[in-house]
Amino acid sequence: MKILMVDDDPEIVQLLEIYIRNEGYEAVKAYNGKEALTKLRTDPGIDLVILDIMMPELDGMAVIKAVRKDSDVPILVLSAKTADMDKIHGLVTGADDYVTKPFNPLEVMARVKSLLRRSEHQVTKQEPDEINLGPLVIKPDSHEVTTLQGQPIQLTALEFGILALLARHPNRVFSAEDIFERVWQQESVVSAKTVMVHVSHLRDKIEAATNGEQVIETVWGVGYKAVDH
């Protein structure tokens, strides 16, 4: 997943980038409001925005208003403005959450994960009856997977959850921790090996049914992604 950080303080951007990358997300940087809007226009793959309010060129509130004209990308505000009315104004304008400076990076990442999960839930509620991924047909409502020729592939509930998550976002890399939290629906308290084992079994079943076709790739040191050939 890709997160845009917008702040005119390079040290804050650098700090957030460390935590974002440690969670397996891709970090995109901007240092003023105009640059942020340019990044959003040119990169439709941005999944969340962390936004300062007081910035040169264009302040955060103006950015929120511009974004909300045609996008519902989650926006987390980071601001030195601590008054309740400032928070209310930010949320009413279109922000999804508001954290005051100075902030704890761990709290910021917890809020980020919560917003991404909420956004994911809203997307999946509107998903089609079938998802086509290379040689596979995935039916989320009935938890069925077949080949294009109609051959069923028997998966466990967790294997199906992993496949459906990756298939909904082809070519997007998910870390093992992110997969665990989304599919197991609990905080990641296990090693990445648990996810690795389930992915390995899932791959074996898919390849056995499709004459060796690979639809899940490992991005070493980062996580896994579905590839729609």
Side-chain angles (χ1 to χ4, degrees):
M1 291 195 147
K2 192 178 296 185
I3 298 175
L4 172 62
M5 306 166 295
V6 190
D7 200 300
D8 61 335
D9 186 335
E11 291 185 0
I12 289 179
V13 173
Q14 184 177 19
L15 174 64
L16 289 172
E17 182 179 15
I18 291 171
Y19 281 84
I20 286 170
R21 293 191 184 279
N22 283 344
E23 292 293 339
Y25 303 133
E26 182 178 348
V28 180
K29 295 173 281 189
Y31 298 96
N32 60 62
K34 286 187 177 179
E35 186 180 2
L37 291 179
T38 298
K39 298 278 187 181
L40 285 164
R41 282 195 297 268
T42 57
D43 190 345
I46 290 173
D47 299 287
L48 183 140
V49 180
I50 300 176
L51 179 68
D52 186 25
I53 292 297
M54 294 182 288
M55 295 184 296
E57 301 290 339
L58 195 67
D59 68 23
M61 291 299 180
V63 172
I64 294 172
K65 290 177 182 178
V67 170
R68 285 293 175 254
K69 289 180 179 178
D70 55 14
S71 173
D72 59 357
V73 63
I75 298 175
L76 170 62
V77 167
L78 285 182
S79 178
K81 292 187 174 183
T82 60
D84 287 343
M85 287 307 300
D86 290 319
K87 297 179 185 178
I88 292 170
H89 182 45
L91 295 171
V92 169
T93 301
D96 296 277
D97 204 350
Y98 195 110
V99 176
T100 57
K101 297 178 180 179
F103 58 85
N104 182 332
L106 294 177
E107 179 189 356
V108 172
M109 293 314 302
R111 303 282 188 101
V112 164
K113 290 181 179 180
S114 176
L115 289 174
L116 288 173
R117 281 195 295 267
R118 188 190 313 168
S119 177
E120 180 81 14
H121 178 65
Q122 291 171 346
V123 169
T124 55
K125 286 194 301 184
Q126 302 172 5
E127 69 184 354
D129 295 334
E130 294 183 356
I131 303 172
N132 293 313
L133 180 68
L136 304 179
V137 178
I138 303 163
K139 300 178 181 179
D141 288 342
S142 59
H143 277 222
E144 294 177 321
V145 181
T146 67
T147 65
L148 292 176
Q149 293 73 34
Q151 176 187 345
I153 303 175
Q154 300 298 325
L155 302 180
T156 67
L158 292 175
E159 289 166 356
F160 181 88
I162 293 170
L163 178 61
L165 171 64
L166 298 179
R168 291 182 184 112
H169 308 281
N171 299 313
R172 179 180 298 174
V173 180
F174 289 85
S175 69
E177 292 78 9
D178 202 17
I179 291 173
F180 184 87
E181 291 182 1
R182 291 166 180 269
V183 175
W184 276 253
Q185 295 189 345
Q186 54 183 288
E187 292 296 321
S188 179
V189 294
V190 298
S191 71
K193 187 174 292 186
T194 298
V195 174
M196 182 183 69
V197 170
H198 283 81
V199 170
S200 178
H201 292 165
L202 174 59
R203 279 175 169 153
D204 289 344
K205 293 179 179 181
I206 293 172
E207 291 175 17
T210 61
N211 295 319
E213 291 202 44
Q214 297 182 2
V215 298
I216 298 176
E217 290 187 0
T218 299
V219 181
W220 294 107
V222 183
Y224 304 93
K225 68 177 180 178
V227 180
D228 192 5
H229 297 289

